[in-house]
Amino acid sequence: DKVTFPCYRWLVGDIKVEVRAGTAKTLRDESISQLLEHRKTELQERQKIYRWVTWAPGIPRCIDAKTEADLPQDVRFENEKRSDFEQSLQFALLELSLKKLAIRFGKSWNDLEDFKRIFWKLKSPISEYCMEHWKEDWFFGYQCLNGSNPRMIQKCRKLPENFPVTSDMVQSSMAPRTNLDKELKAGNIYLLDYAIMDGIPTNTIKGKPQYIAAPLCLMYQHPDEGLIPVAIQLEQTPGLDSPIFLPRDPPLAWLLAKMWVRHSEFQVFQLLSHLLRTHLVIEVFCVATLRQLPAVHPIYKLLAPHLRYTLEINCRGRTQLISSNGIFKRVVSTGGDGLLILAQREYKVLTYRSLQPHKDFADRGVSQLPKYFYREYSLMLWDAIHSFVSGMVDLFYQSDPDMQEDQELQAWIRDISQEGFTELPNFGLPSMLSTREELSTLLTVAIFTSTAQHAATNNGQFDWCAWVPNTPCTMRQPPPTDKDAVTMEMIMATLPDVSQSCVQMAITWHLGRAQPDAIPLGQYTEQHFTEGRAVELIDGFRTELKEIEDHILSQNEGLELQYLFLLPSRIENSITI
Ligand code: OYP
């Protein structure tokens, strides 16, 4: 009898050796008692080394490891990745300390133009474009659709009660022969609402308080100008101290109001869209998969490539980025208690639905917005991943009962919903899988989030944040209350100082740049599957990705501002940074 072997991996010195002979098997396919035994011990071993821990209450649980050094070798960075990560960070930080010195011994820091003096060497075509155009209203609108946080904008059918914009206020922004009421009815009005920022405690940096606002911003889909902001209120409670800023106000007042919106955007983008909704969500899948699925299990084989390096980067994030003396504490307004409270608020309202792009766009009412490249491409990618994953699921489970009976799989989903996403009664993910379609959707969420969604949020961060006034990480003065009193002096006193700006540039460069050892979406370098039909499905998936690649490239040809963050060849197969 031919015996098929489970996956073996071991270390020779520092080198990981893998042998993946054998076909994928669910529990019921396993007939040899020795191999059944092996499956059991493998899981027992893994559950001993991969344990859940509550790093902080009210956010997803994560891997029990104080630092990355506590992680088993199997899930650590390989040497090349580690030295590159550490060197790139050193390089960026050194670069910027030189800049700081240059400025300290140079002229003073008193005009927006001065930001140019730290804007050398580390730059990119989009960040330079941003420096030229960041003041323009259409560019502000463009970033709501195709910037780093393309999930904030929502349809506005009725003005919120706490945002008393009148028709008169915005009339001069409207196209001829229309008004706010008509446009609300026509579905051309949208909203950015940062209510979640309201009352978040602020950081104190070198003894100086930092400031946070909770803006509302009304957007209009103008027939000629595209999506533009038409009114901004910086606090949730209207009143004399929180005027509604308009494009026809003194230019510096309107500009500062937009900067305040973009400052909220920095926080929501980095902590909620990026950290919580990609890194931390995927970590739950990492831990559950390692604990509950043996390496021969088809779902383990399917997911493993999409979970590579995520535990280590998240450990590094917890110790160096969001820890009590990390980067956030040192330079960001939400550093300290703020970031956790913000993440907890978002976690409370996090839904499984919102991780599924078709549903998310429908719920936000943004399906009609033109030139929403993020929407178009992410739907294509979702569909391609979903059809690939469904093929795989149908290959290994002939029927729904077949899947229901897989005890390992059911333990896996229980681990995800009960151990990972704890304290989340309204998340909407069942703790038992009944149909193959439910399984395919769940796997598509995991793969889409660890690939496309992470690329869309992570990869543009340098492009959109390097020109600091466009997306400031902190604000050093309170929001303006008097439109006529806004001066350049006040703007410079509000924006991040030289050293905060330098750190923002260094870290976003470090995280946003292309990774040297990246494995692109759909490229499976370790051959987990050997079955003919599985290999065919992988090939089919790659062909679809190639078509999406060509489509995106041809659609972007000649565009002044290209949207290439979702180009399949630039999407990594897992969250590694
Ligand atoms: C880990 O010590 C990560 O310099 C980034 O974290 C940077 C370091 C370590 C090194 C920090 C050091 C990655 C995982 C993650 C995540 C998502 C959130 C990213 C937020 C980036 C914020 C940039 C802040 C600029 C001021």
Side-chain angles (χ1 to χ4, degrees), residues 127-313:
S127 68
E128 287 182 85
Y129 190 93
C130 185
M131 177 184 82
E132 302 292 336
H133 297 277
W134 69 288
K135 292 181 184 171
E136 297 161 32
D137 286 354
W138 73 268
F139 187 77
F140 180 99
Y142 177 92
Q143 291 184 84
C144 299
L145 304 179
N146 302 310
S148 292
N149 190 29
R151 52 164 282 274
M152 200 62 195
I153 188 159
Q154 58 179 75
K155 176 70 71 61
C156 177
R157 301 206 177 270
K158 192 175 151 281
L159 288 178
E161 253 146 51
N162 59 343
F163 194 19
V165 178
T166 65
S167 200
D168 284 353
M169 287 180 185
V170 295
Q171 192 56 43
S172 60
S173 298
M174 297 280 142
R177 288 173 301 281
T178 187
N179 61 37
L180 180 58
D181 234 26
K182 283 190 196 163
E183 294 302 315
L184 277 165
K185 291 210 176 75
N188 292 325
I189 302 295
Y190 294 85
L191 183 70
L192 303 172
D193 186 351
Y194 297 91
I196 198 162
M197 299 288 296
D198 197 20
I200 292 291
T202 53
N203 200 358
T204 301
I205 300 173
K206 295 193 190 133
K208 297 202 179 99
Q210 310 294 300
Y211 296 88
I212 287 176
L216 289 146
C217 176
L218 203 65
M219 307 290 297
Y220 169 42
Q221 176 63 39
H222 189 290
D224 310 319
E225 295 168 40
L227 186 69
I228 47 169
V230 295
I232 293 172
Q233 178 181 295
L234 296 180
E235 298 296 356
Q236 291 288 310
T237 317
L240 284 178
D241 280 348
S242 187
I244 296 181
F245 292 84
L246 303 167
R248 60 176 151 89
D249 287 342
L252 289 184
W254 178 238
L255 185 65
L256 183 55
K258 285 190 289 178
M259 287 192 254
W260 269 101
V261 177
R262 298 289 309 166
H263 164 257
S264 294
E265 181 75 356
F266 180 97
Q267 317 303 328
V268 168
F269 146 55
Q270 289 292 19
L271 292 168
L272 308 184
S273 304
H274 184 195
L275 179 66
L276 177 65
R277 302 178 71 103
T278 69
H279 283 258
L280 300 184
V281 162
I282 291 304
E283 185 163 352
V284 168
F285 287 88
C286 290
V287 178
T289 304
L290 286 162
R291 286 173 55 82
Q292 305 297 347
L293 299 178
V296 280
H297 197 287
I299 303 305
Y300 179 93
K301 292 182 177 229
L302 182 63
L303 280 183
H306 303 290
L307 307 176
R308 182 178 85 128
Y309 289 168
T310 307
L311 291 178
E312 172 148 1
I313 193 63

Side-chain angles (χ1 to χ4, degrees), residues 85 89 93 266 270-271 274-275 279 313-314 316-318 320-322 327-328 330-332 454 458 461 473 500 503-505 507-508 510-511 577:
F85 182 90
L89 195 63
L93 292 171
F266 180 97
Q270 289 292 19
L271 292 168
H274 184 195
L275 179 66
H279 283 258
I313 193 63
N314 284 3
R316 287 179 184 260
R318 277 188 287 271
Q320 305 181 319
L321 202 59
I322 57 173
I327 295 283
F328 265 75
R330 278 181 272 154
V331 301
V332 183
H454 182 257
N458 182 73
Q461 62 177 303
C473 63
Q500 293 164 335
V503 175
Q504 174 171 336
M505 293 181 76
I507 303 294
T508 55
H510 171 59
L511 300 179
I577 189 71

Side-chain angles (χ1 to χ4, degrees), residues 472-516:
C473 63
T474 189
M475 293 296 238
R476 296 179 295 136
Q477 292 290 317
T481 52
D482 179 359
K483 296 180 184 191
D484 295 311
V486 177
T487 60
M488 181 53 77
E489 211 185 342
M490 185 170 159
I491 289 181
M492 291 305 282
T494 302
L495 285 172
D497 64 20
V498 179
S499 109
Q500 293 164 335
S501 301
C502 285
V503 175
Q504 174 171 336
M505 293 181 76
I507 303 294
T508 55
W509 177 80
H510 171 59
L511 300 179
R513 90 212 145 90
Q515 293 300 299

